[in-house]
Amino acid sequence: MANDDTHTVSYEQLPLRELMSRLAERDDLVEALRKHEVDAVVGDKSIAVVRLLEVERELQARTVELQNQNEELRKTRETLERQAGELERVNTELEAFTYSISHDLRNPLNHILLFVELLKSKSLPKLDEREQQYVGHLDTASKRLQQLLASTLKLFRISKASVGDSRVDLSELARRISEEMTAADPQRARRFEIAPGLAARGDEYLLQQLLQNLLANADKYSADSSPAIIEVGAEEPRDGYRVFYVRDNGIGFDPQKAEELFVPFVRLNQKKNADGTGIGLSVVQRIVHRHHGEVWAEGRPEEGATFYFRLPVPSDD
Amino acid sequence: MSTSETNVPVDSATHFQLRLFVAGDEVNSVQARRNLRKVCDELIPGRYTIEEIDVLRDPSAALKERILVTPSLIIKTDDSDSRLLVFGNLNDTTRLKDILNGKR
């Protein structure tokens, strides 16, 4: 039985015009959506603003930009890699050249040293005072040359040495070196303050050389301080590395020349002890670099110096 | 679609009530606004009123008219109960012009 509200219509009675309009509207809506001509969708509870076309364009622009940047980066990296390769090659050649020069000079130099010795022991009394002075200069200069060659070869060896990778107790090494230094010069007013438990990861022999050089350097330039205080310590470990330092209360240095400290055969304080060839800190720098670390110095004239070096730490620390 | 059979000539005095639903100053809404005025001034100068509804400010008006997306244009004439809907930024004015010319 038909409900009162229901009524039946025949196809002929359908409001065709209305129907066509609705269909046209529907097509229009689909078309608007397809062409991204819509910018908001209204829902019962919220309105979603859509920016499809804009977003697409923006994305495309950014993609192109990124591609350009990538291309530039790639070119830059290639250039840098090429330059690094060239630098390394030049460096290797230079080192080989230095090594062969130093090596080849040793033979003739040994002859000079030998004949200077002979001259001194056999002929010195026969020479007059001025001639004796000449021999003295010859002696000093040839020994100096011998030292320089030895230093150059030493630096070269550090560059080529294989680097061990074990746990190294820097506190213990520093303590032993300080005892040796104290034993060598017990009269000197000098105090070592070595923090306990400083461990690094690396080559024990090279790190011992490093500390030896830094402590000797600190000792040398705090000779006038009484007492000289030489401190060995470290900052907190970070990201597998730790910054260690050797500090003294000596004559310090001009901070503007901090970089020059590490250049071989350069001395900032010329008047100080003439012994040694001025490669101590170069040795330190090479050893740190061989451990993929960094080294730098802070100081002021008459206010002491601190040498920092960053080294990897054992993984269990 | 054939236009001749459904062609009901629009009286030259017919007044159009246009309600444009937009979403703030979004690109398509701005374009729809500009395109609509241009077409109206061209085809039915002085015989239209445009009411603009920003759905971002007044969402209930959109819901009441069951507007789904913006830009949407509701076209009504004062001599008919039926309403017609046009969607999009009106860069393509073919359908709008047909309606205003009384072809739909």
Side-chain angles (χ1 to χ4, degrees):
Chain A
M1 199 173 133
N3 189 311
D4 284 348
D5 292 343
T6 343
H7 58 276
T8 315
V9 293
S10 68
Y11 279 108
E12 286 71 29
Q13 289 173 286
L14 268 179
L16 190 61
R17 190 184 150 83
E18 180 73 12
L19 205 62
M20 297 307 271
S21 293
R22 293 292 158 253
L23 283 173
E25 274 175 17
R26 194 205 57 181
D27 289 348
D28 200 38
L29 174 60
V30 170
E31 193 71 354
L33 285 166
R34 199 181 60 76
K35 289 185 183 164
H36 301 306
E37 289 187 6
V38 163
D39 44 31
V41 178
V42 185
D44 281 349
K45 301 217 165 59
S46 63
I47 296 172
V49 175
V50 288
R51 296 196 182 99
L52 277 179
L53 200 60
E54 267 184 284
V55 170
E56 249 172 48
R57 280 191 192 131
E58 178 89 349
L59 272 179
Q60 201 158 10
R62 279 199 206 163
T63 310
V64 170
E65 202 179 314
L66 274 177
Q67 277 169 349
N68 289 342
Q69 284 176 351
N70 275 347
E71 180 65 10
E72 259 172 56
L73 276 176
R74 196 182 56 77
K75 278 185 192 155
T76 310
R77 204 190 59 209
E78 275 177 8
T79 310
L80 282 176
E81 274 172 2
R82 201 176 52 241
Q83 286 174 344
E86 274 167 26
L87 269 177
E88 201 176 306
R89 192 175 49 76
V90 170
N91 221 8
T92 311
E93 277 173 13
L94 261 179
E95 282 203 337
F97 179 69
T98 311
Y99 180 76
S100 69
I101 291 264
S102 312
H103 199 263
D104 293 351
L105 285 180
R106 270 208 307 202
N107 237 352
L109 178 63
N110 283 338
H111 275 86
I112 294 171
L113 287 164
L114 175 69
F115 288 111
V116 168
E117 278 308 310
L118 283 173
L119 205 55
K120 272 162 65 185
S121 60
K122 301 224 163 163
S123 315
L124 214 54
K126 287 182 252 170
L127 301 175
D128 66 26
E129 201 177 320
R130 178 170 259 197
E131 286 163 339
Q132 286 183 4
Q133 273 180 8
Y134 292 160
V135 174
H137 289 320
L138 195 56
D139 189 35
T140 311
S142 52
K143 283 194 171 128
R144 175 95 185 126
L145 186 53
Q146 188 184 30
Q147 278 185 337
L148 286 170
L149 286 183
S151 298
T152 305
L153 289 172
K154 187 176 180 183
L155 278 177
F156 182 81
R157 282 196 197 99
I158 292 168
S159 302
K160 294 291 153 195
S162 64
V163 180
D165 186 23
S166 57
R167 183 196 170 86
V168 179
D169 187 341
L170 296 183
S171 300
E172 175 60 18
L173 286 180
R175 195 186 56 77
R176 264 190 266 154
I177 296 164
S178 69
E179 277 172 9
E180 281 164 21
M181 285 165 68
T182 308
D185 187 4
Q187 305 301 317
R188 176 143 147 64
R190 169 173 54 192
R191 194 165 79 230
F192 288 96
E193 292 177 359
I194 300 166
L198 302 180
R201 209 182 75 220
D203 187 280
E204 174 140 19
Y205 172 73
L206 289 180
L207 293 182
Q208 190 261 334
Q209 292 275 300
L210 178 149
L211 281 175
Q212 183 101 51
N213 279 293
L214 280 181
L215 290 173
N217 185 72
D219 189 49
K220 188 192 283 182
Y221 292 106
S222 59
D224 296 336
S225 308
S226 191
I229 300 168
I230 298 168
E231 198 186 331
V232 181
E235 295 172 0
E236 284 305 304
R238 253 183 75 185
D239 304 329
Y241 278 77
R242 191 168 186 180
V243 174
F244 302 91
Y245 60 84
V246 173
R247 181 172 292 148
D248 67 64
N249 60 343
I251 58 171
F253 59 86
D254 178 357
Q256 294 205 311
K257 294 185 174 165
E259 298 280 312
E260 288 174 40
L261 286 169
F262 300 101
V263 180
F265 309 118
V266 170
R267 267 213 203 80
L268 293 191
N269 298 293
Q270 283 298 346
K271 57 178 183 177
K272 275 285 159 191
N273 332 24
D275 65 316
T277 47
I279 62 153
L281 293 175
S282 310
V283 167
V284 167
Q285 188 186 45
R286 289 205 182 194
I287 291 173
V288 173
H289 285 174
R290 292 302 311 272
H291 286 79
H292 308 291
E294 287 168 88
V295 61
W296 66 99
E298 283 174 10
R300 306 187 77 80
E302 306 306 325
E303 287 178 28
T306 307
F307 287 84
Y308 296 93
F309 51 105
R310 195 199 315 275
L311 289 175
V313 289
S315 45
D316 54 356
D317 265 41
Chain B
M1 186 191 288
S2 161
T3 53
S4 57
E5 56 177 315
T6 58
N7 203 344
V8 177
V10 176
D11 192 299
S12 62
T14 304
H15 193 87
F16 291 88
Q17 291 162 13
L18 307 169
R19 303 184 77 202
L20 181 65
F21 290 80
V22 295
D25 286 328
E26 293 295 322
V27 179
N28 287 316
S29 292
V30 171
Q31 284 177 354
R33 194 179 294 149
R34 197 174 50 220
N35 291 330
L36 176 62
R37 289 198 189 274
K38 208 174 140 203
V39 171
C40 288
D41 285 340
E42 189 184 310
L43 293 183
I44 47 167
R47 294 193 286 122
Y48 68 91
T49 47
I50 296 177
E51 184 193 354
E52 201 178 294
I53 299 108
D54 185 350
V55 301
L56 299 181
R57 285 194 196 160
D58 188 4
S60 61
L63 286 174
K64 204 155 66 189
E65 294 285 355
R66 286 183 295 165
I67 291 297
L68 271 176
V69 300
T70 63
S72 285
L73 175 66
I74 297 179
I75 304 171
K76 278 180 83 171
T77 53
D78 44 12
D79 55 3
S80 161
D81 283 342
S82 70
R83 59 171 211 171
L84 290 166
L85 273 163
V86 182
F87 303 97
N89 58 20
L90 303 178
N91 279 350
D92 179 359
T93 53
T94 319
R95 189 158 165 269
L96 175 63
K97 283 179 173 172
D98 282 353
I99 292 169
L100 296 182
N101 283 330
K103 288 183 184 168
R104 303 250 164 117

